[in-house]
Amino acid sequence: MEGEVVLLDFWPSMFGMRTRIALAEKQIKYEYREEDLRNKSALLLQMNPVHKKIPVLIHNGKPICESLIQVQYIDEVWNDRAPLLPPNPYQRATARFWADFVDKKIYDLGGKLWRTKGEEQEAAKKELIECLKLLEGQLGDNPYFGGKDFGFLDVALVPFYCWFYTYEKFGRFSIEAECPKLIAWAKRCMQKESVAKSLADQEKIYDFVLHLKKALGIE
Amino acid sequence: MSKAGLVLLDCWVSPFCMRVKIALNEKGLQYEARPEDLFGGKSDLLLNSNPIYKKVPVFLHDGKPLCESSIIVAYIDETWSSPPLLPSCSYARAQARFWADYIDKKVVFDACGNIWRSKGEVPVEAKTEFIEILKQLEGALGDKEYFNGDTFGFVDIVAIPLTCWFFALEKIGGFSVAAECPKFSSWMKRCLQRESVAKVMPDPEKVYEFVLMFRKMQGID
């Protein structure tokens, strides 16, 4: 029923982690292939000729690109277990809206924290905290963004949790101090096997960024 | 269905608002389009309904706000199922979402913005990139009547409104979409024959006037 499932990925990518979590939630067996982004495989370039990026999900030889699109695809194809999007169209639209907000804001702002210094870094930190607070507000009294159950927006956001340590070290601040409810939510998610097995180790991410900065010539 | 149940906070020249109107027309739905004065002062309803971005379109369904045009179109499709705007096959749906996302990422700001926002002569690279992106979309269209296949659908709705800005881009950039991308141009004409689209798309000459005025306002001209 499953067919052949392959994921072209890169271990620190929060986008790849989303797809790993969705596959794990649905208990889908798949082949994980690590890409070297400085030397992209012929398969990656063939399967994602438009953007040439990971993650790429390949199902029965056919590629699906863009992490949120992959998560929706996985949810629709394996619709007999662990639903990620709610059945109600308004709740679906709300989940999509906030997942899109995460895509528009968190990655770039977080990146500025380790790529820049001084005023630019401070401005990014301020805006990142504001965005995380907005997201925290969406939780309300629920254990997950999906409500009682882990869902689409939880999958979209939780991979950033393993990058928070890096953001905090470079930005010299504590996300837990600013957004305690959000961190409580992240820790709750980490108790799920699908999340714990999919996220990278936060210290390894930090080391990766230190090396990346050197390689890119950023002080 | 009462018109009052469906309200669109609108702006005539916004391709994003046009997407929502086309989707509503395709579904045969009556709605109230309320024009927003984006320069004079946004309404309280807009600011309260879209506090995050404070932008149009905002679609209100019985008072409940929805923001971001592609998300609104998907909501309309899921709430009123006939005729379907997305294909029924999961893989084809993923492909449709991919191209809608590509259009939003590449066409809107990069390709179009680089042309109409440029001061002085439009750099060759901006024009080349724009044409390459349209050729990429031509590849996605293939031999199909519409991006959606035999029937007009989601990607067509996401893409067609941007084309009313092309006349302005052609005038400012000194190039012709029809000459460079004839297949894309044929698709555009095909879509414009649909009533749901023709009712909504403004005259490209009026869009050009608007772009010139906006450029002056921004100090580009």
Side-chain angles (χ1 to χ4, degrees):
Chain A
M1 184 233 176
E2 273 169 17
E4 197 201 326
V5 182
V6 178
L7 180 65
L8 307 182
D9 199 352
F10 180 52
W11 69 270
S13 162
M14 340 43 180
F15 306 104
M17 287 173 212
R18 288 168 168 175
T19 311
R20 286 176 233 166
I21 294 170
L23 289 166
E25 279 287 300
K26 304 281 189 175
Q27 297 182 311
I28 297 161
K29 287 194 179 64
Y30 67 98
E31 182 194 341
Y32 178 95
R33 285 199 210 173
E34 187 71 30
E35 283 284 334
D36 176 358
L37 298 186
R38 293 158 303 177
N39 186 21
K40 293 174 180 177
S41 72
L43 183 63
L44 172 55
L45 299 175
Q46 183 200 342
M47 291 284 141
N48 192 356
V50 175
H51 300 301
K52 305 177 175 53
K53 286 182 175 180
I54 57 90
V56 179
L57 180 71
I58 310 173
H59 186 204
N60 292 327
K62 295 195 296 190
I64 302 107
C65 306
E66 296 301 303
S67 60
L68 293 180
I69 295 174
Q70 290 161 357
V71 173
Q72 288 183 83
Y73 175 81
I74 290 165
D75 200 35
E76 286 176 15
V77 172
W78 288 276
N79 57 10
D80 56 340
R81 54 192 110 147
L84 296 172
L85 272 168
N88 173 287
Y90 191 77
Q91 288 172 355
R92 292 159 77 87
T94 306
R96 286 174 175 142
F97 174 86
W98 287 106
D100 177 67
F101 175 83
V102 172
D103 269 359
K104 279 179 162 81
K105 300 281 191 183
I106 310 297
Y107 180 76
D108 285 341
L109 289 171
K112 281 191 175 155
L113 279 179
W114 61 263
R115 285 177 197 269
T116 69
K117 283 180 161 154
E119 271 179 35
E120 198 180 349
Q121 190 194 46
E122 278 305 300
K125 180 165 81 179
K126 194 163 169 271
E127 200 185 343
L128 178 66
I129 292 169
E130 274 166 26
C131 290
L132 293 178
K133 284 194 160 133
L134 278 168
L135 284 162
E136 196 181 44
Q138 288 305 301
L139 263 176
D141 292 320
N142 290 316
Y144 300 107
F145 286 99
K148 281 195 293 87
D149 299 311
F150 185 77
F152 184 71
L153 181 54
D154 301 280
V155 176
L157 181 59
V158 80
F160 287 88
Y161 178 59
C162 64
W163 277 76
F164 282 359
Y165 177 71
T166 298
Y167 297 160
E168 288 169 328
K169 290 277 274 195
F170 282 103
R172 291 169 310 279
F173 71 120
S174 156
I175 295 177
E176 189 161 16
E178 303 283 350
C179 305
K181 227 170 156 189
L182 191 69
I183 298 302
W185 159 81
K187 288 182 176 160
R188 190 176 302 126
C189 291
M190 285 296 284
Q191 285 171 1
K192 293 175 69 65
E193 198 184 346
S194 61
V195 177
K197 277 177 36 176
S198 301
L199 263 54
D201 175 80
Q202 61 182 21
E203 307 238 1
K204 287 203 168 94
I205 298 272
Y206 181 62
D207 277 336
F208 164 74
V209 172
L210 287 175
H211 282 107
L212 185 59
K213 279 182 68 133
K214 268 207 188 82
L216 294 172
I218 310 170
E219 266 182 38
Chain B
M1 156 138 334
S2 134
K3 233 188 193 184
L6 306 183
V7 175
L8 178 69
L9 304 184
D10 187 22
C11 174
W12 69 274
V13 74
S14 157
F16 307 105
C17 295
M18 288 172 219
R19 289 171 177 177
V20 179
K21 287 183 272 192
I22 294 169
L24 290 166
N25 289 343
E26 284 287 314
K27 300 284 187 178
L29 294 165
Q30 298 282 327
Y31 61 95
E32 180 198 344
R34 281 192 212 170
E36 284 282 334
D37 180 357
L38 301 181
F39 304 113
K42 295 173 181 177
S43 71
D44 283 341
L45 182 59
L46 173 56
L47 298 174
N48 291 333
S49 307
N50 191 357
I52 306 292
Y53 302 117
K54 304 175 175 49
K55 285 181 178 180
V56 291
V58 176
F59 180 62
L60 294 141
H61 183 192
D62 293 334
K64 292 199 295 193
L66 292 114
C67 309
E68 294 301 296
S69 60
S70 301
I71 293 174
I72 297 171
V73 173
Y75 173 81
I76 289 167
D77 195 37
E78 289 174 9
T79 305
W80 293 278
S81 51
S82 181
L85 301 176
L86 273 170
S88 49
C89 152
S90 298
Y91 187 74
R93 291 159 80 86
Q95 293 307 97
R97 288 173 178 141
F98 175 85
W99 288 109
D101 175 71
Y102 175 83
I103 288 162
D104 273 346
K105 278 192 169 93
K106 295 285 212 179
V107 180
V108 175
F109 296 107
D110 290 358
C112 294
N114 284 342
I115 293 173
W116 72 264
R117 284 183 199 272
S118 43
K119 220 169 174 146
E121 188 153 339
V122 174
V124 170
E125 307 83 61
K127 289 188 263 191
T128 312
E129 201 202 353
F130 180 78
I131 296 298
E132 269 168 25
I133 287 170
L134 289 191
K135 288 201 152 98
Q136 189 81 259
L137 288 174
E138 272 187 334
L141 184 60
D143 293 321
K144 307 195 297 287
E145 292 267 293
Y146 299 105
F147 284 98
N148 198 47
D150 295 328
T151 55
F152 183 79
F154 187 70
V155 179
D156 305 283
I157 292 174
V158 165
I160 193 65
L162 297 164
T163 66
C164 70
W165 279 62
F166 284 5
F167 177 70
L169 301 178
E170 287 167 326
K171 293 283 273 192
I172 293 167
F175 66 99
S176 155
V177 170
E180 304 274 0
C181 306
K183 223 173 164 182
F184 193 85
S185 198
S186 301
W187 164 81
M188 280 168 57
K189 291 196 177 94
R190 203 173 296 129
C191 291
L192 286 164
Q193 281 166 3
R194 295 182 75 77
E195 203 193 331
S196 64
V197 176
K199 272 190 341 186
V200 155
M201 300 268 283
D203 179 354
E205 294 264 8
K206 291 214 160 73
V207 176
Y208 180 46
E209 275 169 31
F210 168 84
V211 173
L212 290 178
M213 177 214 68
F214 194 65
R215 278 165 63 93
K216 272 207 180 73
M217 265 179 65
Q218 301 264 291
I220 302 171
D221 258 342

